[in-house]
Amino acid sequence: MVSREDGAYLDLDGLRTFYVKLGSGPPVVLIHGASPGASTLVAWKLNLEPLAAAGFTVYAYDQPGFGYTDNPQDYSLEYRVAHAKAFLDAMRLEQFHVVGNSVGGYIAARIALEDRRTGRFVTTTSGTLSPPGSPESQALGKQHGRDLAEYTPSLENMRELTSHTIYNQALVTDETVRERYEMSTGKNYEAQLHRRGAAGARPIHEELRNMPVKSLLLWGNNDAGVTVERGLLLFQSIPNAEFHIFDKCGHWVMWDHAERFNTLVADFLRARRREG
């Protein structure tokens, strides 16, 4: 598995930013979500090496206030979008694909909409990006958001949180809980508290109707916070999109169905080359 020692750091807007780069081939940029303990080495643990082995140069970085990246002065989501764009520029990529998880899907979508270098866009279940849906879906999403915001670091709390994130409880191991817990403490917990009062996402539902690249949406049928209904609404908002629903799957599709996730994403991104 990829470890901290396999990564590197660069300065982006004065923030020491952690990232990993693996493999060779067309660039793929992975953008993690925003739940407690989210980071490159946790969220994409089961995907970094397989996607590199599939023939891609995989880039994945820790957002400001997450993982091993410094905490920012600005905790808004808009700043994290700007930071993502700065990372892409720093890597000097002429073209790339973007893959986002949860809130990372919103950041990836913003990049796909605004940066002509984007080849294809992929996202897992994303409540930040999806339309709000029915009152029942909205209530579920709001409760999920409150549960994340109220998290306080402890192994017990992280185990409970992770058991709701991942459907397959066999994956909720002591090691996984510990790794995610460690990424939720210290300066990252301070950042979590700061994000409570920061500006959230700018709605882009109407902009998605003009998505210039092909898109793949990967959804968990058993997501505890974001319903399939909202995924379908998102699918219907994006032209030239594909929508794949996994049963017995929670919020982290890339964990619950890692092998299938890696295959689907690699095949979808390879199609870009065949069509070109």
Side-chain angles (χ1 to χ4, degrees):
M1 291 293 179
V2 180
S3 68
R4 184 177 186 179
E5 288 68 34
D6 297 308
Y9 292 87
L10 75 161
D11 184 286
L12 295 177
D13 193 31
L15 298 183
R16 189 168 183 255
T17 299
F18 175 81
Y19 73 98
V20 295
K21 176 185 176 183
L22 299 173
S24 61
V28 179
V29 181
L30 308 183
I31 307 175
H32 65 72
S35 62
S39 69
T40 284
L41 298 182
V42 172
W44 304 114
K45 181 177 182 177
L46 306 182
N47 320 110
L48 291 165
E49 291 176 301
L51 289 176
F56 298 94
T57 304
V58 179
Y59 295 84
Y61 71 97
D62 285 343
Q63 296 176 40
F66 293 89
Y68 297 115
T69 293
D70 288 346
N71 286 1
Q73 294 296 314
D74 183 348
Y75 286 90
S76 69
L77 183 50
E78 195 65 31
Y79 180 77
R80 302 211 308 273
V81 173
H83 181 269
K85 293 179 178 179
F87 176 76
L88 295 172
D89 290 341
M91 294 295 102
R92 302 174 184 259
L93 301 180
E94 295 181 0
Q95 191 176 60
F96 51 80
H97 305 294
V98 285
V99 180
N101 165 238
S102 193
V103 177
Y106 173 89
I107 297 173
R110 285 284 301 275
I111 292 168
L113 286 166
E114 299 168 16
D115 194 320
R116 294 184 178 181
R117 294 175 294 174
T118 307
R120 291 195 166 198
F121 160 62
V122 180
T123 186
T124 68
T125 314
S126 177
T128 311
L129 185 59
S130 306
S134 65
E136 292 78 13
S137 288
Q138 293 179 47
L140 186 68
K142 288 178 181 178
Q143 182 59 55
H144 179 64
R146 285 193 292 269
D147 291 342
L148 295 180
E150 293 171 1
Y151 166 84
T152 55
S154 74
L155 286 170
E156 180 181 357
N157 289 344
M158 183 53 76
R159 183 175 298 277
E160 181 178 1
L161 180 64
T162 305
S163 71
H164 287 86
T165 302
I166 300 171
Y167 179 88
N168 182 358
Q169 295 302 292
L171 296 174
V172 186
T173 63
D174 290 344
E175 179 185 18
T176 296
V177 171
R178 178 184 54 77
E179 289 175 348
R180 192 178 178 190
Y181 160 74
E182 289 175 354
M183 290 290 96
S184 75
T185 61
K187 65 95 178 171
N188 291 338
Y189 181 59
E190 293 174 10
Q192 175 190 324
L193 296 178
H194 281 294
R195 285 193 295 274
R196 289 182 183 178
R202 171 174 66 79
I204 59 172
H205 300 145
E206 293 303 315
E207 295 173 46
L208 290 173
R209 300 186 185 282
N210 299 313
M211 176 65 76
V213 302
K214 289 192 175 181
S215 307
L216 174 63
L217 314 180
L218 303 170
W219 230 257
N221 188 47
N222 311 97
D223 191 296
V226 189
T227 61
V228 171
E229 173 205 359
R230 296 181 65 189
L232 285 168
L233 290 172
L234 180 62
F235 166 70
Q236 292 165 352
S237 300
I238 303 177
N240 298 314
E242 299 178 23
F243 186 42
H244 193 105
I245 304 173
F246 295 83
D247 195 22
K248 297 182 179 179
C249 182
H251 195 61
W252 281 8
V253 179
M254 68 284 188
W255 270 72
D256 268 320
H257 292 271
E259 185 174 354
R260 185 69 178 134
F261 171 92
N262 295 331
T263 299
L264 277 171
V265 171
D267 286 349
F268 178 72
L269 300 183
R270 285 196 198 100
R272 166 80 178 180
R273 283 180 280 174
R274 294 197 297 267
E275 291 167 0

